[in-house]
Amino acid sequence: MNGRLKAAGTAAGGAVGGGLLVAGTTSDAGKSVVTAGICRWLARQGVRVAPFKAQNMSLNSFVTREGAEIGRAQAMQAAAARVEPTALMNPVLLKPGSDRSSQVVLLGKPVGELSARGYHSGRQEQLLGTVTDCLAELRRTHDAVICEGAGSPAEINLRRTDIVNMGLARAARIPVVVVGDIDRGGVFASFFGTTALLSKEDQSLVAGYLVNKFRGDVTLLEPGLEMLRGLTGRQTLGVLPFAHGLGIDEEDGLRVSLRGAVRESVVAPPHGAEVLRVAVCAVPLMSNFTDVDALAAEPGVVVRFVDRAEELADADLVVLPGTRGTVRALEWLRARGLADAIARRAAEGRPVLGICGGFQMLGELIEDEVESKAGTVEGLGLLPVRVRFAAEKTLARPAGTALGEPVEGYEIHHGVAEVTGGDEEFLDGCRAGSVWGTHWHGSLESDGFRRALLRRVAADAGRAFVPAPDTCFAALREEQLDRLGDLIEEHADTAALLRLIEEGVPDGLPFVPPGAP
């Protein structure tokens, strides 16, 4: 490895580390996967690397140790880089509350609600200085920073206010690699069109392409890659194969399908005699649905997302997940008959678990003049809890004990819960009969606690299910991150990537007409 990169960190007396921006031809082209993979590959080479995403729109978020809220994808990428996540890695987080407005989280703290038009009409441009300052700080303290773009860099209607794609690349003078999902089809047209729609100045930073999710014989692809190079003057820096079971944290909770957020993976046989079936209600504005990934990692636990009452009939555990719209989700449950089905389950002693917004819905009353501004709303009445929405958001990393096991989690909520009874305490919430509720996200990643809860659920559900004694969720996550690093190491031109990170944009990249209007 070139010595300059390894010497560029804090030990180099203030030298600035290298950088790279991973853009995509579309949303979900694989930017998050590639960014994480490059981070893990570099970390394994001994490079002190950090991820960065200037602006993220996501309902899946995480709380750092300093109490800042950032996108979960950036927390996952930090884990890939083997560094502690910080607010610097995702300075702007947009949390949608509807199709037209979002809560703006700046440097880890909410600063208000803005419509899409209001954000793109001036607020976004004002944040460019903050974004570039955060990136500069990371580059001063790391050997390399791998940035992730958002959507497509060729969204010419938004280019003037862009701070996450070419706007960031030009401000920081870092090279750009464009990722395309060949599984969708049209990848050559997407690469060419993305480049040709950029201005001459922006094109000068686009250094190459990465093909993602390829199936088959790569030699059949090579003639097209050569033609693409002839048309654009840029080489393809790797062809990444389609890989099953890459369970990384998704960004966009709005578009999660009812197939489930649990990724394609081989379901291990149950450790005991029976499986345990978990139904997660796919409520509107669902947030942090990754909470149930730890359940899906357990051999014999089958997790699915549902939106009909009849789909709860054979479930051994029903989970009400977090949501950015608690009152709206409550109305949705009632309109679809799910609220009545959950109430019947509780009356029959069949397990229900509410997490964050789901916990709030299970309570008796919700007073909300902040999120929905609906005033006082009746909850499902299944837990002795009253919730009042506060203007200030709770952001915390609690730790404690429950069911005789140590637990860690994180809290992201405006609702303040007053627990007035129950059969036993449950983290910051309570249990009443077979209904459990807590604000803590991530608690199920604590292995001993997860197994203890599943044993209680299996007993209440009358299932001969036994949790496996050796499932370690943290180890499984590390295996997934190593697989991402392997994808880059084995299928990308790592020498070319290193040159871009170390030396910046190569000279002489040709202009592809017509360019941006």
Side-chain angles (χ1 to χ4, degrees), residues 304-322:
R304 67 184 189 275
F305 286 73
V306 304
D307 66 348
R308 296 191 299 271
E310 57 269 26
E311 293 177 294
L312 304 187
D314 66 343
D316 302 307
L317 171 65
V318 168
V319 177
L320 285 179

Side-chain angles (χ1 to χ4, degrees), residues 182-381:
I182 198 170
D183 200 48
R184 295 182 176 190
V187 74
F188 294 117
S190 297
F191 283 143
F192 181 86
T194 296
T195 308
L197 276 176
L198 300 178
S199 69
K200 184 176 182 179
E201 293 80 4
D202 285 352
Q203 284 192 30
S204 70
L205 300 175
V206 176
Y209 311 111
L210 271 171
V211 176
N212 191 30
K213 296 186 182 178
F214 180 72
R215 308 172 192 247
D217 184 351
V218 74
T219 61
L220 299 176
L221 194 64
E222 288 171 353
L225 300 179
E226 282 302 311
M227 286 186 274
L228 180 67
R229 184 169 186 174
L231 288 166
T232 67
R234 292 155 174 86
Q235 65 176 322
T236 298
L237 303 175
V239 178
L240 309 182
F242 189 99
H244 290 274
L246 291 179
I248 66 164
D249 296 340
E250 302 284 355
E251 286 193 351
D252 196 346
L254 287 174
R255 291 185 294 104
V256 63
S257 75
L258 296 183
R259 290 185 296 110
V262 180
R263 315 316 166 246
E264 300 170 354
S265 59
V266 177
V267 178
H271 188 71
E274 293 184 291
V275 300
L276 202 68
R277 295 174 176 84
V278 178
V280 184
C281 294
V283 297
L285 299 175
M286 181 167 47
S287 63
N288 289 71
F289 52 81
T290 47
D291 281 334
V292 299
D293 282 358
L295 294 179
E298 284 285 347
V301 176
V302 180
V303 178
R304 67 184 189 275
F305 286 73
V306 304
D307 66 348
R308 296 191 299 271
E310 57 269 26
E311 293 177 294
L312 304 187
D314 66 343
D316 302 307
L317 171 65
V318 168
V319 177
L320 285 179
T323 171
R324 172 80 165 86
T326 299
V327 171
R328 176 177 166 183
L330 192 54
E331 293 170 350
W332 181 87
L333 289 175
R334 286 176 169 138
R336 288 177 171 260
L338 286 158
D340 289 339
I342 292 169
R344 287 194 297 271
R345 287 183 62 87
E348 295 165 0
R350 302 171 67 196
V352 177
L353 170 64
I355 301 174
C356 200
F359 167 44
Q360 295 166 6
M361 287 185 274
L362 290 170
E364 298 168 343
L365 283 177
I366 298 170
E367 296 178 26
D368 182 13
E369 298 292 351
V370 175
E371 190 175 78
S372 68
K373 297 180 172 59
T376 301
V377 177
E378 285 191 12
L380 297 178

